[in-house]
């Protein structure tokens, strides 16, 4: 029973391992980070002056195929409390099945159902007096709240999980704690608490780098470090610290590519963000290089719907440089691509680009 659930959870949740960013409008000068609770727009790579993010709402990528990557703690870390009995009618088995159903509902984006199932699972775990089980369910609840944009609620739940782990003897630099501290820092950013977010990211990254020095290459540590660098880069963009953001995005991209390869939407998202950082530094040649690489890689992922957005962003980049012919070519192509593939975000991005071109031509 334990092994079966462990395999199931690892297979379904491990895909949510690397966080995507936001989709951008590469417009002039500055970018604005999506701020969901501060009036965001869904989310996915970012960039922009007007920055269009589809925060998971269009589920276009992320973990494998289903949505924005919000890394849930490795399932096996909380499985020690599961019964090893194979009695399908046992209270433990019923609890396991309830958790499974909640996770399936998350995968299907049926968030209300997922939350209802998690509350039922929590009551079952409380009745079983399963302290670790309760902690695990709170962790899933926290990640669900984060995914649907309930940032204050998510932070409160994560703090609860952290307090429970402290009570169980976990040290502040344990990987479970570092997963949570990274997410709490990101939640602070999304709620506009930028100083708190900086402090949280820098502390978490310092602890992760200490661990990497001690143990050498470790996939879990390296991936969390990359996730945290990616989020931190988004914060730096919001603070207009573009040079630092560029470095962090590059580090995140290197970490992600080493672990997952280059033919992934998440990797393309980071390349897109790198181009945005470079465009804000007026390093247009490098920004163009990253976008052309993203377009080339996207062509090798047939099911990828974001390919048009990268072309629209390249059009915006050319517009920044006053290259109206090239800008019109790429933004027009992106508009046709978006219409053909019924991809709303691409059409919106392309329309924005074309509007900017028309305003310049007046």
């Amino acid at each position: 029973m334990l092994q079966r659930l462990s395999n199931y959870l690892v297979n379904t949740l491990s895909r949510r391992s690397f966080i995507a960013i936001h989709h951008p409008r590469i417009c002039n000068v500055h970018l604005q980070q999506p701020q969901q609770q501060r009036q965001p727009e869904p989310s996915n790579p970012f960039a922009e002056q007007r920055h269009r993010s589809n925060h998971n709402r269009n589920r276009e990528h992320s973990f494998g195929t289903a949505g924005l990557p919000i890394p849930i703690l490795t399932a096996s870390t909380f499985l020690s409390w599961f019964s090893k009995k194979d009695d399908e009618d046992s209270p433990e088995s019923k609890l396991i099945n309830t958790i499974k159903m909640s996770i399936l509902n998350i995968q299907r984006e049926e968030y209300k159902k997922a939350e209802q199932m998690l509350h039922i699972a929590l009551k079952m775990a409380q009745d079983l007096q399963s302290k670790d089980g309760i902690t695990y369910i709170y962790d899933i609840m926290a990640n669900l709240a984060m995914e649907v944009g309930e940032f204050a609620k998510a932070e409160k739940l994560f703090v609860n999980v952290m307090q429970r782990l402290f009570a169980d003897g976990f040290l502040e630099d344990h990987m479970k704690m570092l997963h949570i501290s990274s997410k709490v820092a990101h939640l602070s950013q999304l709620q506009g608490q930028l100083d708190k977010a900086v402090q949280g990211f820098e502390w978490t990254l310092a602890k992760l780098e200490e661990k990497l020095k001690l143990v050498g290459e470790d996939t879990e540590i390296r991936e969390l470090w990359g996730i945290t660098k990616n989020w931190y880069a988004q914060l730096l963009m919001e603070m207009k610290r573009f040079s630092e953001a560029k470095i962090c995005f590059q580090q995140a991209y290197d970490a992600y590519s080493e672990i997952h390869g280059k033919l992934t939407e998440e990797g393309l998202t980071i390349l897109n963000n790198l181009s945005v950082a470079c465009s804000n530094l007026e390093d247009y040649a490098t920004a163009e290089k990253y976008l052309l690489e993203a377009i080339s890689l996207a062509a090798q992922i047939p099911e990828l719907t974001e390919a048009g957005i990268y072309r629209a962003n390249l059009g915006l980049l050319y517009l920044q440089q006053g290259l109206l012919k090239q800008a019109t070519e790429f933004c027009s192509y992106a508009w046709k691509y978006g219409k053909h593939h019924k991809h709303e975000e691409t059409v919106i991005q392309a329309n924005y680009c074309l509007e900017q071109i028309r305003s310049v031509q007046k």
Side-chain angles (χ1 to χ4, degrees), residues 219-237:
T219 300
E220 182 186 5
I221 300 173
R222 177 81 164 146
E223 183 166 34
L224 180 58
W225 179 82
I227 289 169
T228 306
K229 280 284 183 177
N230 197 10
W231 272 333
Y232 187 36
Q234 296 179 44
L235 172 62
L236 293 170
M237 292 292 283

Side-chain angles (χ1 to χ4, degrees), residues 96-165:
I96 289 170
N97 287 331
T98 304
I99 294 173
K100 280 184 176 182
M101 287 303 301
S102 69
I103 293 169
L104 282 173
N105 285 326
I106 292 172
Q107 296 292 314
R108 295 167 180 163
E109 300 177 52
E110 297 176 349
Y111 301 125
K112 288 294 184 184
K113 287 185 182 178
E115 185 172 20
Q116 291 168 0
M117 295 300 293
L118 285 170
H119 281 289
I120 293 171
L122 180 60
K123 178 63 167 60
M124 295 167 73
Q126 290 169 337
D127 290 344
L128 286 169
Q129 297 184 352
S130 175
K131 185 170 62 173
D132 292 337
I134 293 168
T135 301
Y136 180 56
I137 294 165
Y138 276 136
D139 181 66
I140 299 174
M141 286 180 164
N143 281 283
L144 175 58
M146 185 175 181
E147 177 131 349
V148 300
E150 296 177 345
F151 301 137
K153 178 180 177 180
E155 182 176 3
K156 183 177 179 181
L157 286 164
F158 278 130
V159 170
N160 187 355
V161 173
M162 192 174 281
Q163 290 172 340
R164 294 178 67 85
L165 292 174

Side-chain angles (χ1 to χ4, degrees), residues 86-340:
D86 283 328
D87 180 2
E88 297 297 330
D89 293 325
S90 69
E92 292 89 350
S93 294
K94 291 178 180 178
L95 173 57
I96 289 170
N97 287 331
T98 304
I99 294 173
K100 280 184 176 182
M101 287 303 301
S102 69
I103 293 169
L104 282 173
N105 285 326
I106 292 172
Q107 296 292 314
R108 295 167 180 163
E109 300 177 52
E110 297 176 349
Y111 301 125
K112 288 294 184 184
K113 287 185 182 178
E115 185 172 20
Q116 291 168 0
M117 295 300 293
L118 285 170
H119 281 289
I120 293 171
L122 180 60
K123 178 63 167 60
M124 295 167 73
Q126 290 169 337
D127 290 344
L128 286 169
Q129 297 184 352
S130 175
K131 185 170 62 173
D132 292 337
I134 293 168
T135 301
Y136 180 56
I137 294 165
Y138 276 136
D139 181 66
I140 299 174
M141 286 180 164
N143 281 283
L144 175 58
M146 185 175 181
E147 177 131 349
V148 300
E150 296 177 345
F151 301 137
K153 178 180 177 180
E155 182 176 3
K156 183 177 179 181
L157 286 164
F158 278 130
V159 170
N160 187 355
V161 173
M162 192 174 281
Q163 290 172 340
R164 294 178 67 85
L165 292 174
F166 270 129
D168 284 342
F170 286 88
L171 300 177
E172 64 179 11
D173 64 348
H174 190 281
M175 282 301 292
K176 294 179 188 178
M177 294 294 200
L178 295 178
H179 270 281
I180 296 173
S181 65
S182 179
K183 285 183 273 194
V184 169
H186 187 51
L187 287 165
S188 296
Q189 175 198 350
L190 292 171
Q191 295 175 88
Q193 301 163 359
L194 303 190
D195 290 340
K196 179 181 174 182
V198 169
Q199 187 176 24
F201 281 131
E202 291 181 349
W203 183 88
T204 304
L205 288 167
K207 293 297 181 184
L208 288 168
E209 285 160 10
E210 286 175 13
K211 284 184 173 293
L212 285 170
K213 286 179 183 177
L214 287 173
V215 305
E217 284 304 310
D218 178 280
T219 300
E220 182 186 5
I221 300 173
R222 177 81 164 146
E223 183 166 34
L224 180 58
W225 179 82
I227 289 169
T228 306
K229 280 284 183 177
N230 197 10
W231 272 333
Y232 187 36
Q234 296 179 44
L235 172 62
L236 293 170
M237 292 292 283
E238 188 168 359
M239 299 173 75
K240 299 180 176 56
R241 292 163 60 179
F242 302 122
S243 295
E244 295 167 86
K246 177 186 173 183
I247 293 169
C248 288
F249 278 137
Q250 184 66 66
Q251 292 171 327
Y253 180 69
D254 291 343
Y256 184 79
S257 299
E258 288 168 14
I259 295 169
H260 299 287
K262 291 190 174 183
L263 293 181
T264 62
E265 292 190 59
E266 292 83 0
L268 298 187
T269 290
I270 300 171
L271 280 175
N272 181 81
N273 294 330
L274 267 168
S275 76
V276 175
C278 291
S279 72
N280 277 280
L281 292 167
E282 298 185 3
D283 182 359
Y284 301 124
T286 306
E288 180 183 17
K289 181 190 77 169
Y290 286 130
L291 276 176
L292 288 172
E293 184 178 354
I295 290 169
S296 175
L297 292 170
Q300 301 175 56
I301 310 176
E303 69 279 7
L304 181 64
T305 56
E306 302 296 57
I309 286 184
Y310 302 133
R311 289 181 181 272
N313 287 344
L314 185 56
L316 284 165
L317 180 64
Y318 287 138
L319 179 61
Q320 275 185 280
Q321 301 170 74
L323 303 173
L324 296 186
K325 181 179 178 182
Q326 293 94 321
T328 302
E329 177 185 347
F330 278 91
C331 292
S332 297
Y333 178 92
W335 186 88
K336 293 174 185 176
Y337 180 95
K339 284 291 187 180
H340 177 74

